[in-house]
Amino acid sequence: MEVLEKALHDPDARVRNAAISSLGNLGKRNSSEVIPVLERALRTENDPRVKDSIVSALNRLGRKMPASASGVPWSSEKKRFIPGEELGGN
């Protein structure tokens, strides 16, 4: 898990996303260790798309986070705009 934690600080967003995906899979077996790592990453991550991946992983692990926690105006969980954003018609 240490390697994945280090990857969360890689300059390449694709590497960080891959680490988040791996941590999410690992968290299915050991969420008590993975959730705090993802929560710390969410606080320090600047890329909204990576933050969205973190929020999605946390949600899959049972740590319900609002879609707005990622900083992007849509939720990857539902691929829809979050409340308060223009929907463009229903």
Side-chain angles (χ1 to χ4, degrees), residues 16-54:
R16 295 192 309 274
N17 265 328
I20 292 160
S21 177
S22 294
L23 284 166
N25 289 332
L26 180 64
K28 292 174 186 174
R29 292 188 308 254
N30 195 0
S31 63
S32 64
E33 287 187 35
V34 172
I35 287 174
V37 170
L38 291 172
E39 288 175 334
R40 282 192 300 274
L42 183 61
R43 288 192 296 273
T44 60
E45 180 58 55
N46 292 320
D47 186 311
R49 291 168 291 191
V50 176
K51 288 180 95 164
D52 187 58
S53 295
I54 297 169

